[in-house]
Amino acid sequence: MPGGRLTQQERQQIALGLADGLPYAEIARRLDRPTSTITREVMRNGGPTAYRADLAHRATERRAQRRRQTAPKGAKAPLQADGRDAEAVREYQEAFTTVFMASGAPKMMSRVLACLYTTDEGSLTAAQLVERLEVSPASVSKAIAFLEEQGLVRRERDARRRERYVVDDDVWYQSMMASARGTAQVAETARQGVGVLGPGTPAAVRLENIARFMDFVTESIARAAEQARDVLYAKPQTPPDGTAEPGSDG
């Protein structure tokens, strides 16, 4: 499987694949690339309906040029204050952003979420978001308003009375329960149609099967979310050598 950055020819093939209605996985297979590479490429360059190979290629070249200008030739990747590789963190945030966008969130809202979730504190001020994302304060304000409305972030004041935007681990549980309520509503509506269309008719049988399927999905989602909720609050365990191991209660 080839590595490195996408070529202009590959981007043209991506554009042709999108025009033909091919799924990302099929485009990736034809280019011998990971599906995540194609997904990230498309979502960061306008999405499936607005992707243009020439614009995407020029945008990538501009980003690479900016990085070359800020990093001296031969220099190692810059480190953040916490010792992490800044470039690796940036690449990961882009991948995480793509995941949020693929689930339906707008690009700027997805960038803000990814930025918040990849901080140890799980919170940032508006000024910090502006600096890290290199966007305008108005863009951050609009994104936060959207995310608050969706219940994905909340505001709080820190010791210096600054307003901070916080992501809570429990939001994933709440999201799953909202999904369960949505499928339950589909089941209820489908079952109402059985009486309207007449029990035993092909249309009614179809709707009854949908209702039964959605009942099963609803119960499964709700049960799994309840059983796994504690996982969201697991603390890293510190073994004798002092190295933290994620995913265990301590």
Side-chain angles (χ1 to χ4, degrees):
M1 181 175 293
R5 299 188 182 280
L6 291 166
T7 65
Q8 188 165 14
Q9 183 178 8
E10 286 178 314
R11 289 190 167 93
Q12 291 169 350
Q13 291 301 312
I14 291 173
L16 290 173
L18 292 173
D20 289 340
L22 297 179
Y24 294 150
E26 176 59 21
I27 297 174
R29 186 190 67 78
R30 295 186 180 190
L31 294 177
D32 196 20
R33 291 276 191 171
T35 301
S36 60
T37 297
I38 306 304
T39 304
R40 184 165 59 251
E41 165 70 14
V42 174
M43 298 306 291
R44 77 188 297 188
N45 290 291
T49 59
Y51 182 84
R52 285 185 55 186
D54 54 344
L55 296 181
H57 195 71
R58 286 201 293 270
T60 300
E61 289 182 333
R62 286 195 297 270
R63 285 191 294 267
Q65 184 177 12
R66 285 198 299 269
R67 286 195 291 269
R68 287 194 297 269
Q69 290 172 346
T70 56
K73 187 176 181 180
K76 294 182 178 180
L79 296 179
Q80 295 180 328
D82 51 21
R84 295 179 176 126
D85 183 329
E87 182 66 12
V89 172
R90 185 192 64 79
E91 290 285 349
Y92 176 74
Q93 285 179 344
E94 287 188 359
F96 209 3
T97 296
T98 300
V99 171
F100 286 130
M101 291 175 65
S103 68
K107 183 175 182 178
M108 182 51 62
M109 292 64 174
S110 298
R111 293 189 66 198
V112 169
L113 266 186
C115 191
L116 288 170
Y117 270 110
T118 51
T119 62
D120 287 328
E121 299 81 4
S123 69
L124 291 168
T125 65
Q128 288 171 325
L129 283 167
V130 167
E131 179 183 3
R132 294 185 182 210
L133 298 176
E134 298 181 344
V135 296
S136 68
S139 296
V140 168
S141 178
K142 182 179 179 181
I144 289 296
F146 173 88
L147 293 171
E148 277 190 304
E149 185 178 336
Q150 300 298 313
L152 297 174
V153 302
R154 62 180 174 82
R155 299 174 190 242
E156 67 176 26
R157 296 277 181 178
D158 62 17
R160 296 170 58 184
R161 304 301 299 167
R162 297 177 304 179
E163 194 169 70
R164 302 186 70 87
Y165 307 119
V166 185
V167 286
D168 290 317
D169 294 332
D170 203 53
V171 74
W172 297 99
Y173 167 79
Q174 298 298 340
S175 177
M176 290 298 101
M177 295 307 292
S179 177
R181 289 191 293 271
T183 54
Q185 183 63 45
V186 173
E188 180 182 351
T189 303
R191 193 164 280 116
Q192 290 172 357
V194 174
V196 174
L197 299 170
T201 63
V205 170
R206 183 184 305 113
L207 289 174
E208 178 61 31
N209 289 341
I210 292 172
R212 290 168 54 206
F213 174 79
M214 288 301 181
D215 283 341
F216 181 83
V217 171
T218 299
E219 181 182 351
S220 299
I221 291 175
R223 182 172 61 249
E226 288 290 353
Q227 292 174 343
R229 192 176 189 180
D230 289 345
V231 173
L232 292 169
Y233 301 96
K235 301 298 182 183
Q237 184 179 24
T238 303
D241 63 3
T243 303
E245 293 180 353
S248 303
D249 290 323

